[in-house]
Amino acid sequence: MGSLPHVIEDFMGVLQVLSDGTVLRSKTINFNIPIINDDSVLFKDILFDKTYNLHLRIYKPTSPPSSRKLPIIFFFHGGGFCLGSRAWPNCHNCCLRLASGLNAVVFSPDYRLAPEHRLPAAIDDAETALKWVQTQALLSEDESEGDAWVNARGVDFDQVFVLGDSSGGNIAHHLAVRLGAESTGIRPVRVRGYILMAPFFGGVVRTKSEEGPSEALLNLEILDRFWRLSMPVGETRDHPLANPFGELSPRLEEIRLDPVFVIVGGAELLKDRAKDYAERLREMGKKIDYLEFEGREHGFFTDDPYSQIANQTLHHIKTFILANST
């Protein structure tokens, strides 16, 4: 007689995988993160993918300037491709801060999560979200159609920036590669740059920062678990979806990319991979900026977007956006 199903993977009870393949997700999570009710920003949810029932949250300043259209910021949340949602308080607060601090319209899409939906599902969904905005841009040419919040009179579809945190940073990289320079496949939407915050990259050979010391809320065991559950079955961390420089990864030297900005904390396990990514792209002649905050651990911006260090980060993001806007 076989044994009863038992837990083989556990993310603090939020996500559990049983020995028979069953995936359990908690519907009652105690975040202990207060939601910041910022009256300077309005937000609403909208369905962007009927096939997978995926929603995105749109944020816009309550009193935008009348002299110009607002740029668009796409924000892809982190969570190792296994956790997270547009509705989680840390993601929500971060997007409120981005909308108010950058005076922009922010789109925060959900994407399918692993292990129920392994990669490249999350990247495919991110591309679908961008194409949804492309549809809105085309519809808004007729002012009677499309979503009223996403209208060419108020937003600038020619000034789009993609920002990803952790696994969201990995998504941002893959979007940059898929769309290529000038993002011609989604016109009239035009991505001007990509901002990767501590991008979640991997590899079979460990880096020095991965080997330790562990962070307060992140360690190598957790990183490995994320990869085990999110990668296509049987693949290693050198798969192109994890390692931008793996043996089978696209030759980035041959791909034209829009500007990239990499931001990472100096005490992050992911620091060495982020730094190596930026250095290699620079050697290839890509337009790339790199910023490292000494002593900071993973999530220093997204977990407290109103802190002093978050304000500094926002300043650098704003500078990057201004430098790469027409």
Side-chain angles (χ1 to χ4, degrees):
M1 184 175 179
S3 60
L4 293 174
H6 57 279
V7 176
I8 58 173
E9 302 278 7
D10 186 4
F11 284 101
M12 299 173 289
V14 175
L15 168 66
Q16 293 181 322
V17 181
L18 306 187
S19 55
D20 65 355
T22 301
V23 177
L24 304 176
R25 290 186 180 274
S26 175
K27 295 182 180 179
T28 55
I29 305 173
N30 181 18
F31 290 100
N32 197 29
I33 299 174
I35 293 178
I36 299 170
N37 294 315
D38 191 338
D39 293 335
S40 68
V41 176
L42 302 173
F43 66 91
K44 71 173 182 178
D45 291 329
I46 194 165
L47 179 72
F48 76 90
D49 188 332
K50 292 182 180 179
T51 302
Y52 298 113
N53 192 35
L54 293 172
H55 293 75
L56 56 78
R57 184 164 288 180
I58 308 174
Y59 300 79
K60 69 171 186 177
T62 305
S63 303
S66 58
S67 58
R68 63 178 178 86
K69 297 179 181 180
L70 299 183
I72 293 173
I73 307 294
F74 264 91
F75 176 80
F76 293 102
H77 68 74
F81 299 111
C82 298
L83 305 172
S85 165
R86 74 192 188 286
W88 280 20
N90 57 337
C91 180
H92 181 69
N93 288 340
C94 180
C95 290
L96 286 171
R97 185 71 179 103
L98 290 171
S100 62
L102 300 176
N103 214 355
V105 175
V106 176
F107 292 86
S108 177
D110 277 338
Y111 49 84
R112 285 172 291 164
L113 299 175
E116 302 97 316
H117 306 282
R118 291 175 178 263
L119 291 170
I123 301 163
D124 293 341
D125 296 340
E127 187 174 5
T128 298
L130 278 165
K131 288 182 176 178
W132 179 84
V133 172
Q134 178 190 30
T135 299
Q136 295 300 312
L138 294 170
L139 287 173
S140 72
E141 293 174 359
D142 178 351
E143 295 182 359
S144 65
E145 307 225 18
D147 187 272
W149 281 30
V150 193
N151 191 286
R153 290 176 298 175
V155 300
D156 193 343
F157 295 108
D158 191 59
Q159 301 295 320
V160 178
F161 291 84
V162 174
L163 191 159
D165 171 47
S166 193
S167 55
N170 178 301
I171 289 173
H173 160 75
H174 285 288
L175 286 176
V177 173
R178 284 191 184 190
L179 297 178
E182 300 181 7
S183 49
T184 56
I186 55 172
R187 286 177 175 168
V189 172
R190 171 71 163 88
V191 178
R192 296 285 173 179
Y194 297 83
I195 303 158
L196 284 57
M197 302 185 71
F200 183 38
F201 295 139
V204 171
V205 177
R206 303 293 191 189
T207 67
K208 183 177 179 181
S209 62
E210 284 176 340
E211 291 177 342
S214 297
E215 300 178 49
L217 299 176
L218 193 64
N219 56 47
L220 193 57
E221 180 183 357
I222 292 175
L223 292 180
D224 284 352
R225 185 179 295 132
F226 280 141
W227 286 126
R228 275 199 308 274
L229 296 181
S230 64
M231 292 299 300
V233 175
E235 296 291 350
T236 73
R237 296 187 304 274
D238 278 336
H239 188 280
L241 293 169
N243 187 349
F245 307 109
E247 184 177 348
L248 299 178
S249 299
R251 300 283 296 178
L252 297 181
E253 299 94 328
E254 303 168 2
I255 300 174
R256 291 180 60 239
L257 298 175
D258 283 314
V260 176
F261 184 19
V262 177
I263 303 172
V264 70
E268 297 200 45
L269 296 176
L270 298 172
K271 184 200 74 173
D272 286 351
R273 292 199 185 277
K275 186 176 183 179
D276 178 67
Y277 173 83
E279 290 177 346
R280 290 205 197 188
L281 289 190
R282 185 174 292 116
E283 290 171 0
M284 295 175 193
K286 313 299 183 187
K287 187 176 181 180
I288 185 159
D289 295 312
Y290 176 79
L291 176 64
E292 182 180 315
F293 285 101
E294 183 179 358
R296 297 294 173 170
E297 295 188 346
H298 199 62
F300 67 88
F301 177 81
T302 52
D303 289 345
D304 189 3
Y306 289 85
S307 66
Q308 182 178 358
I309 193 68
N311 290 337
Q312 294 177 30
T313 306
L314 200 64
H315 169 75
H316 288 284
I317 292 174
K318 185 181 297 185
T319 300
F320 174 78
I321 289 174
L322 291 174
N324 293 289
S325 299
T326 55

